[in-house]
Amino acid sequence: MEKLDKTDRKLVLWWALLVILTLLSFEGGIPGLGRPEIVAAIVVAIALIKMRVVILHFMDVKDAPWSLRGVLGAWLLFVGAALLAIWYGYLAIP
Amino acid sequence: MQPLITDTKAPVTEPGSTRHYPGEGGVWVLLGGELLLFTICFFTFVYYRQFEPDVFAASRLTVNQGIGLANTLVLLTSSLFVALGVKRFRARDASASRLFQAALLCGGIFAALKAYEYYEKVSHGLTPLTNNFYMCYFAFTGMHLSHVFAGSIMLFLMARVAKRPKPTAAQSLFVECGALFWHLVDLLWIMLFALFYLAG
């Protein structure tokens, strides 16, 4: 396989960030992660960041029309906010 | 007669803009549908958790964290291989095929680890009937696994197409869309991993 060129190196760097974020969100990755009550919020937030990296840089959506970027970004925010709101009891699904 | 697919890189958006849909507009309907399906799964999980958060917290401690972590890293790496492979494929570089094969191997490793994980759970008496956490766990990671299988078939075919010196426009589109599907598989697992293994 040839040497990695500039774009390849960028992809590898994004992958490295994903790995680091994964390890950080793992048990004890962030020492204590503060109060146990906020673990869910931190873990979901990190998951959203990782998903955004995969969408923008692996799926090439960074070069996609703004309508697509907008829909996917809005979906990420909505899912994160709604999941956490239900998790912490601010919202209920009857 | 006009060919069905002409320039797969043609901008589908505002004139003068260089922004283009990765793959083709239509595949995003499929991807959107899958995202919607799994979004319902995520909400189903937190729905059931509302009523018994302690049961969910206790059950989370019984999942195999090591395998969860390993599977996450395996899928992230496979996505890297696919992203690099698509770049090489566009440049008609033969190493694209090897990268798709490497991603396929990752898919196989994921499936093997999952199979062992399910076996381990069941042999300890943890089944979809144990409680709502485990019902969700088996149902949603099982659905995800079926997507891993579908994606793996696509990777196998993508590796074959990537070996051809002159892929057709349709074959090139298949490679781009298959890559997007695989990234979706990775994406969905990121959230499943967070909910079932980490969030406690």
Side-chain angles (χ1 to χ4, degrees):
Chain A
M1 203 174 301
E2 292 125 45
K3 255 165 62 79
L4 298 176
D5 71 12
K6 191 162 161 247
T7 331
D8 291 345
R9 274 200 292 275
K10 277 197 198 157
L11 288 171
V12 174
L13 285 176
W14 286 116
W15 169 84
L17 175 65
L18 288 169
V19 169
I20 289 169
L21 288 172
T22 302
L23 296 173
L24 276 180
S25 62
F26 195 60
E27 305 250 303
I30 305 175
L33 269 185
R35 306 190 310 279
E37 310 92 74
I38 61 169
V39 167
I42 291 178
V43 150
V44 168
I46 290 179
L48 292 176
I49 294 171
K50 286 160 68 180
M51 290 165 88
R52 186 177 144 87
V53 169
V54 171
I55 289 171
L56 287 181
H57 301 285
F58 284 175
M59 295 174 95
D60 263 346
V61 169
K62 67 182 185 317
D63 295 326
W66 289 99
S67 52
L68 182 64
R69 284 190 67 159
V71 166
L72 291 172
W75 173 77
L76 280 178
L77 287 174
F78 165 73
V79 167
L83 285 180
L84 288 177
I86 298 165
W87 187 284
Y88 285 106
Y90 292 106
L91 212 62
I93 308 179
Chain B
M1 197 200 292
Q2 288 280 3
L4 197 57
I5 298 157
T6 54
D7 179 5
T8 62
K9 280 281 164 246
V12 219
T13 170
E14 316 91 60
S17 162
T18 55
R19 297 194 158 268
H20 57 87
Y21 281 92
E24 174 199 51
V27 76
W28 284 97
V29 175
L30 167 69
L31 298 179
E34 298 291 337
L35 283 176
L36 202 59
L37 173 66
F38 277 89
T39 300
I40 292 171
C41 296
F42 302 151
F43 281 101
T44 301
F45 176 81
V46 296
Y47 166 77
Y48 281 114
R49 183 187 168 274
Q50 285 176 127
F51 308 111
E52 33 184 19
D54 294 340
V55 171
F56 272 57
S59 294
R60 180 189 76 87
L61 296 174
T62 62
V63 302
N64 191 321
Q65 300 280 341
I67 290 187
L69 178 65
N71 269 344
T72 304
L73 297 175
V74 161
L75 277 189
L76 290 176
T77 306
S78 71
S79 259
L80 173 65
F81 289 151
V82 167
L84 291 171
V86 167
K87 248 200 79 234
R88 299 262 198 293
F89 173 75
R90 288 180 191 149
R92 296 289 174 263
D93 180 339
S95 64
S97 186
R98 284 198 292 282
L99 282 162
F100 294 145
Q101 288 170 43
L104 176 59
L105 178 64
C106 289
I109 293 172
F110 182 96
L113 287 173
K114 208 94 209 80
Y116 173 74
E117 199 184 350
Y118 285 163
Y119 162 76
E120 187 193 50
K121 289 283 154 290
V122 172
S123 59
H124 281 100
L126 295 166
T127 73
L129 301 177
T130 297
N131 59 32
N132 284 332
F133 176 94
Y134 271 104
M135 178 190 69
C136 290
Y137 168 84
F138 280 105
F140 303 152
T141 64
M143 267 175 57
H144 177 264
L145 186 62
S146 70
H147 285 70
V148 170
F149 288 141
S152 296
I153 293 171
M154 288 189 220
L155 287 173
F156 172 78
L157 295 171
M158 284 157 65
R160 282 182 52 161
V161 166
K163 280 201 194 123
R164 292 164 176 262
K166 283 192 178 152
T168 65
Q171 287 169 335
S172 299
L173 190 60
F174 174 74
V175 168
E176 301 267 350
C177 293
L180 288 172
F181 187 83
W182 189 259
H183 292 309
L184 175 81
V185 166
D186 183 21
L187 200 70
L188 295 172
W189 178 256
I190 290 172
M191 185 54 88
L192 288 173
F193 176 60
L195 292 177
F196 284 106
Y197 294 80
L198 303 178

